[in-house]
């Protein structure tokens, strides 16, 4: 019994000591919080605003409703909670252990910009963005057999779309069944022009659009021949414009333009389909399928879809594995390389509904 009392009294002393320590700790914490200076955006260092995004080392993105701005890169530094606005830009300039330094324009006014430090845990740099949590089905609009639809915002009416692993993508690519474009030896480069030469006949293949720029005419690059379409394919581009497109020419009787695609053509002879994927100039990416009739030179537009949450990484790497299954290499929307770090590549599989066309 005496042993019990001794143990009980000792326990009381320990518990009392813990309570006193906890109380002391809470008091110190409260005193620290009181010492936290109340600040505003006016307390941050004023800087020149970003007027050229090309000079920004990396951009940052967040999914939080609000983020913390610190005046210096330390968790004990004075800080301010800032509501997230989807129109705000968070331009990253330096990386610290737990922080990024950013240049931020208040109310998107470049002349009213500050330097702030933000927690790495609250932001993701553009080169680290992935498709995790992204709604791949989301579309802005679609056109099915000449009927446009701006109300339906889901791809589900046409089929399914899923992110897949790089291993599955590479394994599936070994089963691709689309036509490979093979260069025609009769198409030769001569004095900066592509010329069709056969049996003493010579014809210059000019561009689809006769457009000149300050740096000269549009350039075209010979890609190869489609035996199924009986057409020669060229990639046309300009030094001044990032966008390029592919033009198809018939050269048998006379050089005639027949068809064009915005992305590298993925031709499926078994169904007479010509498809392509390309990044949309406005948002996301385009997926387009047309049916081409070589005998009549006619084309039926079957499907156009503007996906909103990813862009195309390499349109040449897209492929068919059967009449309804299409694969593509993509990037998350807003992703970009920076500071020598490559953006993360993702892979998608599009499964069209059977007999959709």
């Amino acid at each position: 019994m005496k042993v019990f009392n001794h143990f009980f009294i000792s326990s009381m002393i320990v518990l009392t000591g813990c309570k006193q320590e906890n109380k002391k700790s809470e008091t110190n914490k409260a005193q620290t919080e009181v010492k936290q200076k109340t600040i505003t955006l006016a307390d941050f260092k004023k800087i020149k605003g970003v007027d050229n995004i090309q000079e920004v080392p990396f951009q940052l993105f967040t999914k939080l409703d609000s983020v913390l701005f610190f005046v210096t890169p330390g968790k004990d530094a004075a800080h301010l909670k800032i509501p997230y606005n989807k129109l705000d830009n968070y331009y990253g300039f330096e990386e610290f252990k737990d922080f990024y330094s950013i240049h931020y324009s208040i109310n998107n006014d470049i002349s009213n910009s500050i330097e702030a430090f933000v927690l790495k845990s609250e932001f993701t740099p553009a080169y680290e963005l992935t498709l995790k949590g992204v709604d791949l089905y989301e579309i802005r609009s679609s056109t099915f057999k000449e009927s446009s639809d701006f109300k339906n915002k889901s791809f589900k009416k046409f089929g399914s779309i899923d992110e897949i692993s790089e291993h599955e993508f590479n394994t599936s690519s070994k089963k691709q069944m689309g036509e490979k474009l093979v260069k025609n030896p009769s198409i030769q480069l001569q004095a900066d022009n592509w010329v069709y030469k056969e049996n003493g006949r010579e014809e210059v293949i000019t561009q689809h659009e006769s457009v000149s720029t300050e740096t000269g005419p549009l350039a075209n690059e010979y890609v190869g021949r489609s035996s199924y379409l009986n057409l020669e394919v060229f990639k046309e581009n300009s030094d001044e414009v990032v966008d390029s497109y592919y033009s198809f020419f018939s050269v048998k009787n006379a050089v005639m333009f027949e068809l064009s695609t915005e992305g590298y053509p993925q031709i499926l002879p078994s169904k007479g389909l010509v498809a392509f994927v390309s990044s949309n100039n406005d948002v996301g990416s385009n997926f387009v399928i047309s049916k081409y009739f070589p005998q009549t030179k006619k084309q039926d537009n079957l499907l156009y879809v503007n996906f909103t949450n990813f862009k195309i990484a390499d349109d040449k790497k897209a492929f068919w594995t059967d009449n309804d299954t299409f694969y593509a290499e993509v990037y998350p929307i807003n992703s970009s390389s920076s500071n020598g770090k490559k953006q993360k590549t993702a892979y998608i599989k599009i499964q069209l509904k059977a007999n959709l066309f």
Side-chain angles (χ1 to χ4, degrees), residues 87 95 144 237 239 251 274 310-311 313 357:
L87 298 178
E95 184 175 349
F144 182 65
N237 55 76
D239 292 337
V251 296
V274 179
F310 59 85
K311 53 188 177 181
F357 306 125

Side-chain angles (χ1 to χ4, degrees), residues 142-149 157-158 273 289-291 300-305 354-357:
S142 63
T143 301
F144 182 65
K145 294 182 178 179
E146 307 296 338
S147 177
S148 296
D149 185 351
K157 64 184 289 188
F158 305 116
L273 301 180
I289 301 177
S290 301
K291 188 170 182 65
D300 286 347
N301 295 320
L302 300 178
L303 178 66
Y304 162 81
V305 177
N355 302 315
L356 180 65
F357 306 125

Side-chain angles (χ1 to χ4, degrees), residues 15 45 90 145 158-159 186 189-190 192 206 233 238 299 354:
L15 289 173
K45 180 182 176 182
Y90 302 98
K145 294 182 178 179
F158 305 116
S186 297
L189 186 61
Q190 180 176 299
D192 296 329
T206 58
V233 184
S238 166
Q299 176 185 351

